[in-house]
């Protein structure tokens, strides 16, 4: 693996860890909503993050950027009401 591919892989893993932490914060009741912004690979993380969020009882809301600049991701508590 070349250095560029290794950097991309590290960045993806870093961003996925941010997503996991945000899901955990909402699922554990630490916050009703967490937005993970400034993600370089936000659009690519939506599908795997949605699965993790659903398993944790959390809703994923993509926040699409203008001009196809990718997406930030919000995680929200799913109300029991």
């Amino acid at each position: 693996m070349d250095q560029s591919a290794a950097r991309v892989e590290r960045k993806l893993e870093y961003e996925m860890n941010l997503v996991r932490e945000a899901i955990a914060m909402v699922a554990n009741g630490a916050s009703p909503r967490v937005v993970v912004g400034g993600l370089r690979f936000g659009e690519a993380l939506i599908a795997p993050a949605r699965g993790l969020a659903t398993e944790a009882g959390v809703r994923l809301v993509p926040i699409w950027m203008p001009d196809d600049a990718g997406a930030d991701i919000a995680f929200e508590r799913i109300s029991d009401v």
Side-chain angles (χ1 to χ4, degrees):
M1 180 181 313
D2 68 8
Q3 288 183 2
S4 178
R7 275 194 300 270
V8 167
E9 187 175 323
R10 282 192 305 273
K11 182 70 172 175
L12 273 167
E13 186 57 33
Y14 171 77
E15 290 186 354
M16 196 63 202
N17 283 335
L18 291 175
V19 163
R20 286 185 194 101
E21 291 170 2
I23 291 169
M25 285 180 66
V26 175
N28 292 326
S31 178
R33 185 173 199 261
V34 174
V35 176
V36 183
L39 297 170
R40 181 172 175 198
F41 300 106
E43 195 169 344
L45 295 173
I46 289 174
R50 189 178 307 277
L52 294 172
T54 300
E55 287 176 17
V58 173
R59 176 181 317 139
L60 179 149
V61 180
I63 304 170
W64 299 105
M65 299 294 117
D67 302 324
D68 296 325
D72 294 343
I73 305 173
F75 298 95
E76 300 175 342
R77 186 176 313 153
I78 298 175
S79 174
D80 322 78
V81 181

